[in-house]
Amino acid sequence: MTEVELTSLLFRLADIGITGIKVRYDGGGDSGAIEWIGYTAKPCKTPEDVCDNIDDWEDDANLSKIAQNDYSLVEEFAYNILDGIEDWWNNEGGFGNFCFLVPSGKYVINNSLRVMDYVEYFHDGDLLDKIKK
């Protein structure tokens, strides 16, 4: 997506009253996907406001009110941005929210990585002492 295409998309979204977009994603085991894309029409001054204004991802805040082509463009550039951050799709993977203001394009990504942790212990002794007890 070019800068002109992105700018045009952001202004089209603003023209229909959208002030922010929230993208939820999840991944692991060598694959990842955008789970949901929602919007807000509430006033937002920061990308964090966008995240706060879209709490329930199962409500009507989905992007069904925008043209399918514009939805696909939002999804495409979201993947492009997410592909440039920490590895959220391999091994244990990760999940998070990508929130951005419309039309400024300012954004925040809250990316959580799943990490397997190990605790190692060392024991030594004499087997014969163990059976004497």
Side-chain angles (χ1 to χ4, degrees), residues 24-113:
R24 286 191 179 217
Y25 60 92
D26 197 342
D30 297 336
S31 66
I34 289 174
E35 301 287 325
W36 178 82
I37 301 173
Y39 73 91
T40 185
K42 296 176 183 175
C44 297
K45 293 183 180 179
T46 68
E48 291 84 3
D49 290 343
V50 174
C51 288
D52 293 342
N53 284 335
I54 308 173
D55 291 333
D56 185 1
W57 66 300
E58 296 192 19
D59 69 7
D60 239 2
N62 66 46
L63 289 179
S64 61
K65 83 182 251 184
I66 72 166
Q68 181 60 42
N69 184 56
D70 286 346
Y71 181 94
S72 295
L73 290 172
V74 168
E75 188 175 50
E76 176 188 326
F77 84 77
Y79 274 118
N80 288 339
I81 296 291
L82 293 172
D83 285 347
I85 66 171
E86 303 85 12
D87 187 354
W88 57 274
W89 59 89
N90 279 318
N91 302 319
E92 289 81 31
F95 59 93
N97 296 311
F98 167 29
C99 301
F100 61 94
L101 288 171
V102 173
S104 77
K106 301 288 184 199
Y107 71 88
V108 295
I109 299 173
N110 298 313
N111 189 37
S112 299
L113 299 180

Side-chain angles (χ1 to χ4, degrees), residues 119-127 130:
V119 177
E120 185 175 321
Y121 297 93
F122 176 81
H123 305 275
D124 66 350
D126 185 325
L127 292 176
K130 286 286 188 187

